[in-house]
């Protein structure tokens, strides 16, 4: 599917521009031959539209519709296109598994995201364009992507557009509760009856306790 | 055993996220209903199972619950957001929750004289879905047009918490005060583990993607509830919080409303009640064994109920979700050597989609690998083809002409004759006769084990013994 802008309904409010994960939408002046009355109108770079539909949801004026693509295309980065050791090291530094499905919608693993970063995708939108990740539910993969970028030294990518809210910063994670490898005292006190030591061991990759009973993992 | 005809599930809101409403699976002659109170006689009788005729009772119950709530922070000149979350509108068709929300507004206006009470609908996709909810439940009239949707990709606000920065949705908190208008459906019990579930909206409904992503992907599923608690306790949220009003349920239906400014107290009451009721259902579902599930309702298939339990529990719940000695029962954590880290119930031999929303935010794209999917009708198949969340699912599913054909194919291929229907029902489970026999046969032993062994342990693990 690909988005289409209904010119006469678009008021140029820019909300869609602020939520498109692949930055496929930009604002420009309305041409004299275009329907509609507002001075500004949004324009779509069709090849960059990956059917996330955030634009469609947020548009207050129903100025966006979706159409089937005439020529569907496949998106992805070949994991073999980057050095396997570098991929592993980057995933490890970011605290994500290389085989882990980070984007469950586009079925993108940590390794594929790392490969795309190593190949030059240095912002969340560039990573989405290179892998298709973060264009489905845009939720589960959000923070692991920001962490991978930060671990690769690209945590300072400028927001694009500057007023957009496709993403903010990195939120606190469980591993941040550790001080020198141990659960920080104030955290332990504040959240007293959580099995924090055990959970953080699992999150750090120690699965020795991971023995679910009576089931079929 | 004699089996009577199946009861019909509650009516649901039509939506552009699903196909045109079609006849329910409960109308097939092979279907029957098993009452949850027949399975577990200790469950209290509900005040409603979603019937529109019961709304006066919901209204009276809400008023009674709010009678002693301290609303002194709110003045005639304040602005107040009532924060409602979407899954409440999937509970028994949504009418009981909508009635509670409208009643909260009435009582606040009566008691405080406040002229600016708004409704904020925290909805996953954000806006079009919120418009559907607003129109279907008549919220524009009830709130003088002061109704807005909000979603996870809406403009955010960074909030300092005891565990570090988190991101909330600004529009949820764009008033002087807010009211947490919630419901206690335990939904993904395998993930929330019934640890502080009453707080979950603070890291999901009212939160940005960043926060939701951390909850799902970067915390264990025991310690994940630290996030909503940290947000709830933050200075930003506490400066705006007034009180909570929670629609109480059991697998039998709506059992009341709990309201106070002490959300921790509400949570303790809910948790104790849920361990005794949903805990029994959870263990019974783990006994089902090989089966085929049918989606037949007006919400995401993942969140459709059968006897108050969502499909997602059957999909994932093969361990005891409430036993906190087990670090992870299902979730997004990676197990070494296992690339698919969302463990699924291999006994689920097939899923037939009679009617349900498409993915619309819920990724199922690899589900047909473990449980083959049968989607009824070309019109519904087309919706799945266009779903942004599951781009390849339709290529991995089978499109069938009608639901009976889908059930037949799923049972034959899966080698099972047990069928359970997730059609939004509380109070009973819609299923075929062989499934009904299994449920009735296993329930007494589950009942005893929960009462004598599991419940005391679950309560003790949560400091509630
Ligand atoms: S459909 Fe998605 S990718 Fe396409 S323009 Fe809209 S938000 Fe961007
Ligand atoms: S959100 Fe809608 S009205 Fe606003 S700029 Fe985009 S298309 Fe135009």
């Amino acid at each position: 599917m690909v988005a289409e802008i209904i010119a006469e309904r678009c008021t140029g409010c820019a909300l869609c521009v602020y939520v498109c994960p692949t930055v496929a939408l930009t604002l420009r002046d309305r041409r004299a031959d275009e329907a509609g009355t507002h001075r500004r109108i949004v324009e779509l770079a069709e090849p960059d539209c990956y059917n996330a539909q955030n634009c469609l949801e947020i548009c207050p004026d129903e100025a966006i519709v979706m159409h089937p693509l005439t020529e569907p295309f496949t998106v992805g980065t070949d994991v073999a296109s980057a050095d396997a050791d570098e991929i592993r090291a980057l995933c490890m530094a970011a605290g994500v598994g290389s085989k882990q499905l980070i984007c469950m919608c586009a079925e993108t693993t940590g390794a594929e995201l790392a490969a795309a970063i190593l190949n030059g995708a240095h912002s969340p939108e560039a990573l989405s364009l290179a892998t298709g990740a973060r264009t489905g539910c845009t939720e589960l993969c959000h923070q692991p992507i920001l962490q991978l970028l930060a671990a690769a030294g690209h945590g300072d990518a400028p927001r694009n557009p500057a007023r957009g809210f496709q993403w903010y910063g990195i939120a606190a994670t469980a591993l941040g509760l550790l001080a020198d490898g141990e659960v920080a005292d104030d955290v332990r006190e504040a959240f007293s009856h959580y099995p924090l030591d055990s959970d953080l061991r699992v999150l750090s990759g120690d699965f020795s306790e991971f023995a679910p009973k009576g089931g079929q993992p | 055993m004699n089996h009577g005809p199946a009861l019909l599930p509650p009516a649901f809101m039509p939506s552009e996220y699903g196909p045109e409403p079609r006849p329910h699976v409960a109308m097939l002659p092979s279907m029957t209903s098993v009452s949850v109170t027949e399975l577990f006689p200790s469950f209290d009788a509900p005040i409603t199972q979603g019937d529109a005729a019961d709304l006066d009772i919901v209204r009276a119950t809400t008023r009674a619950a709010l009678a002693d709530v301290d609303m002194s922070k709110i003045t005639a000149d304040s602005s107040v957001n009532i924060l409602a979350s979407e899954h409440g509108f999937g509970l028994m068709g949504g009418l009981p929750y909508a009635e509670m929300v409208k009643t909260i507004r009435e009582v606040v206006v009566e008691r405080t004289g406040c002229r600016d009470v708004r409704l904020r609908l925290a909805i996953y996709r954000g806006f079009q879905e919120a418009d559907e909810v607003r129109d279907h439940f008549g919220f524009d009239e009830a709130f003088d047009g002061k109704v807005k949707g909000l979603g996870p990709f809406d403009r955010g606000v960074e909030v300092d918490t005891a565990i570090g920065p988190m991101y909330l949705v600004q529009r949820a908190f764009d008033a002087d005060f807010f009211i947490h208008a919630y419901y206690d459906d335990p939904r993904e019990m395998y993930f929330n583990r019934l640890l502080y579930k009453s707080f979950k909206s603070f890291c999901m409904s009212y939160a940005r993607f960043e926060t939701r992503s951390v909850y799902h992907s970067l915390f264990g599923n025991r310690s994940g509830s630290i996030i909503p608690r940290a947000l709830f306790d933050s200075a930003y949220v506490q400066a705006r919080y007034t009180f909570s009003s929670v629609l109480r349920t059991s697998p039998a239906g709506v059992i009341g409303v709990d309201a106070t400014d002490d959300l921790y107290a509400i949570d303790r009451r809910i948790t104790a009640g849920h361990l005794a009721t949903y805990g029994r259902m959870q263990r019974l579902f783990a006994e089902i064994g090989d089966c085929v599930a049918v989606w037949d309702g007006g919400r995401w298939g993942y969140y459709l109920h059968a006897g108050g339990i969502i499909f997602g529990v059957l999909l994932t719940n093969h361990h005891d979700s409430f036993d906190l000695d087990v670090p992870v029962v299902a979730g997004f954590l990676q197990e070494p050597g296992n690339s698919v880290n969302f463990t699924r119930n291999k006994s689920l031999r097939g899923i037939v989609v009679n009617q349900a929303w498409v993915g619309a935010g819920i990724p199922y794209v690899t589900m047909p690998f473990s449980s083959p999917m049968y989607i009824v009708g070309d019109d519904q198949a087309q919706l799945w083809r266009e779903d942004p969340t599951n781009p390849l699912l339709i290529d991995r599913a089978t499109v069938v002409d009608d639901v009976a054909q889908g059930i037949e194919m799923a049972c034959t291929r899966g080698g099972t004759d047990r069928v359970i229907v997730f059609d939004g029902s509380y109070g009973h489970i819609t299923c075929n006769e062989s499934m009904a026999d299994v449920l009735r046969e296993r329930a007494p032993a589950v009942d005893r084990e929960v009462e004598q062994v599991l419940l005391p342990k679950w309560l003790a693990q949560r400091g509630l013994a």
Side-chain angles (χ1 to χ4, degrees):
Chain A
M1 304 287 281
V2 64
E4 181 194 332
I5 314 301
I6 313 291
E8 66 261 41
R9 292 198 197 146
C10 176
T11 63
C13 72
L15 280 172
C16 57
V17 179
Y18 296 154
V19 297
C20 175
T22 48
V23 197
L25 296 157
T26 44
L27 269 192
R28 63 164 172 76
D29 286 341
R30 192 180 298 261
R31 292 191 300 267
D33 63 334
E34 280 174 322
T37 52
H38 291 79
R39 191 174 71 78
R40 305 279 276 168
I41 187 173
V42 83
E43 177 161 310
L44 173 73
E46 268 198 31
D48 293 347
C49 174
Y50 284 12
N51 188 33
Q53 300 190 13
N54 289 1
C55 57
L56 178 91
E57 287 289 340
I58 205 165
C59 175
D61 295 291
E62 295 183 35
I64 297 178
V65 290
M66 303 303 298
H67 288 301
L69 274 171
T70 41
E71 281 188 46
F73 56 94
T74 304
V75 179
T77 292
D78 183 358
V79 175
S81 64
D83 181 80
D85 289 337
E86 283 186 67
I87 288 176
R88 247 192 314 274
L90 180 49
C91 288
M92 186 86 82
V96 305
S98 58
K99 288 193 208 160
Q100 193 177 352
L101 269 188
I102 303 291
C103 173
M104 301 223 170
C105 307
E107 298 175 67
T108 316
T109 59
E112 183 180 344
L113 288 161
I117 293 171
L118 293 167
N119 288 341
H122 292 166
S123 66
E125 43 275 11
L127 210 41
S128 293
L129 282 165
T131 64
R134 207 174 59 97
T135 64
C137 74
T138 61
E139 172 171 315
L140 300 175
C141 58
H142 203 94
Q143 168 107 351
I145 284 178
L146 296 179
Q147 290 190 189
L148 276 159
L149 283 163
H154 307 295
D156 57 352
R159 219 173 280 160
N160 177 15
R163 297 179 60 201
F165 35 90
Q166 290 97 328
W167 49 273
Y168 288 90
I170 289 178
T173 67
L175 294 178
L177 306 181
L178 294 174
D180 299 327
E182 295 290 324
V183 178
D185 287 344
D186 54 336
V187 173
R188 195 191 300 279
E189 202 171 303
F191 301 101
S192 54
H193 67 266
Y194 285 87
L196 279 173
D197 296 285
S198 156
D199 262 10
L200 289 168
R201 268 196 300 278
V202 173
L203 284 160
S204 311
D206 173 358
F207 283 80
S208 51
E209 283 175 73
F210 191 97
K213 294 160 196 160
Q216 7 162 320
Chain B
M1 166 107 210
N2 262 343
H3 299 278
L7 303 169
L8 282 180
F12 59 76
M13 176 186 89
S15 168
E16 67 175 38
Y17 298 98
E20 289 286 317
R22 42 182 75 176
H24 277 292
V25 179
M27 297 160 95
L28 292 176
S30 57
M31 290 296 146
T32 187
S33 297
V34 179
S35 156
V36 300
T37 45
E38 177 198 333
L39 298 171
F40 299 117
S42 56
F43 291 0
D44 287 338
I47 60 170
T48 179
Q49 290 172 343
D51 194 325
D54 299 333
L55 293 182
D56 283 349
I57 305 171
V58 176
R59 174 166 293 261
T61 304
T62 308
R63 282 186 166 271
L66 291 172
D68 296 326
V69 171
D70 179 2
M71 299 184 188
S72 58
K73 276 187 184 171
I74 303 171
T75 67
D77 298 325
S78 307
S79 55
V80 181
N81 284 352
I82 296 180
L83 299 185
S85 297
E86 66 191 325
H87 289 289
F89 302 110
L91 278 179
M92 296 164 246
L95 288 174
Y97 181 59
E99 198 63 21
M100 183 192 80
V101 168
K102 290 176 191 172
T103 308
I104 295 169
R105 179 191 179 275
E106 281 176 15
V107 173
V108 168
V109 170
E110 283 167 20
R111 293 254 305 269
T112 69
C114 181
R115 291 179 291 270
D116 191 7
V117 183
R118 307 99 164 249
L119 177 60
R120 293 286 182 262
L121 294 166
I123 299 285
Y124 185 75
R125 291 303 289 170
F127 302 93
Q128 309 227 354
E129 186 189 335
D131 291 351
E132 289 182 346
V133 168
R134 178 197 64 201
D135 295 347
H136 182 76
F137 293 102
F139 283 130
D140 254 348
E141 301 82 70
F143 280 80
D144 294 333
K146 293 181 177 180
V147 183
K148 279 188 178 151
L150 57 94
F153 50 85
D154 215 337
R155 195 183 302 277
V157 56
E158 184 177 324
V159 173
D160 270 335
T161 76
I163 59 170
M166 287 287 168
Y167 298 87
L168 292 172
V169 175
Q170 194 182 56
R171 189 180 282 180
F173 303 97
D174 63 355
D176 298 331
F177 301 109
F178 76 92
I179 295 161
H180 178 51
Y182 200 44
Y183 43 83
D184 67 1
D185 180 1
R187 292 205 312 280
E188 305 99 322
M189 303 185 291
Y190 58 88
F191 200 84
N192 63 58
R193 315 287 299 270
L194 271 194
L195 270 169
Y196 301 97
K197 170 70 178 57
S198 316
F199 294 78
K200 189 178 167 206
S201 304
F202 292 91
C203 76
M204 294 299 284
S205 301
Y206 315 154
R208 280 266 317 172
F209 280 138
E210 290 80 357
T211 308
R212 295 172 179 224
S213 177
V214 170
Y215 174 74
H216 275 303
S217 305
L218 294 151
F219 263 80
N221 62 10
R222 291 177 301 192
S223 55
S225 60
I226 284 179
I227 305 171
R229 284 185 55 196
L231 277 160
F232 177 76
D233 290 335
S234 69
Y236 180 90
V237 167
Q238 284 300 311
R240 293 162 176 80
Y241 174 69
T242 53
F243 65 90
S244 302
S245 177
V246 182
L247 190 76
R248 294 287 315 272
T249 67
S250 83
V254 175
I255 55 169
V257 172
D258 198 341
T260 165
D261 58 352
D262 185 351
L263 186 53
Y264 283 94
I266 292 180
D267 188 74
R268 283 192 294 277
R269 291 190 282 268
I270 286 174
T271 304
H274 278 15
L275 292 171
T277 55
Y278 290 100
R280 282 176 160 81
M281 296 296 286
Q282 180 230 154
R283 295 326 302 144
L284 180 62
F285 269 52
E287 292 286 316
I288 286 175
D290 287 355
C291 68
V292 162
V294 185
W295 293 356
D296 187 38
R299 307 287 291 177
W300 295 277
Y302 201 87
Y303 291 116
L304 290 174
H305 299 88
I309 300 290
I310 63 162
F311 166 81
V313 167
L314 181 67
L315 179 72
T316 51
N317 183 36
H318 22 279
H319 314 298
D320 176 357
S321 296
F322 297 154
D323 181 358
L324 297 181
D325 289 344
V326 180
V328 182
V329 289
F332 305 105
L333 277 175
Q334 187 173 30
E335 194 186 357
N338 181 3
S339 58
V340 179
N341 42 19
F342 191 92
T343 63
R344 293 199 178 111
N345 180 0
K346 294 189 180 84
S347 300
L348 183 57
R349 312 304 303 215
I351 300 157
V352 182
V353 184
N354 184 47
Q355 55 187 332
W357 287 7
V358 293
I362 315 280
Y364 310 106
V365 69
T366 57
M367 195 163 68
F369 294 140
S370 50
S371 303
M373 286 182 78
Y374 302 84
I375 294 179
V376 177
D378 289 331
D379 55 333
Q380 191 167 218
Q382 186 57 29
L383 291 175
W384 281 96
R385 203 163 276 124
E386 296 168 1
D387 172 26
T389 318
N390 294 281
L392 297 178
L393 184 136
I394 196 68
D395 300 335
R396 299 166 182 174
T398 305
V399 181
V400 294
D401 293 334
D402 61 60
V403 69
Q405 183 194 19
I407 291 173
E408 165 88 36
M409 287 172 74
C411 287
T412 304
R413 182 169 168 198
T416 179
D417 65 350
R418 294 177 194 160
V419 179
I420 181 168
V421 184
F422 291 82
D423 58 5
S425 294
Y426 274 68
H428 68 269
I429 296 169
T430 309
C431 59
N432 69 354
E433 295 187 357
S434 70
M435 176 65 82
D437 288 342
V438 172
L439 295 171
R440 290 191 172 107
E441 184 206 320
R442 303 291 166 88
V446 168
D447 202 31
R448 275 192 304 277
E449 192 195 11
V450 170
E451 188 61 31
Q452 293 166 11
V453 182
L454 299 176
L455 185 58
K457 176 169 74 173
W458 294 336
L459 288 166
Q461 286 173 332
R462 290 162 180 79
L464 296 172

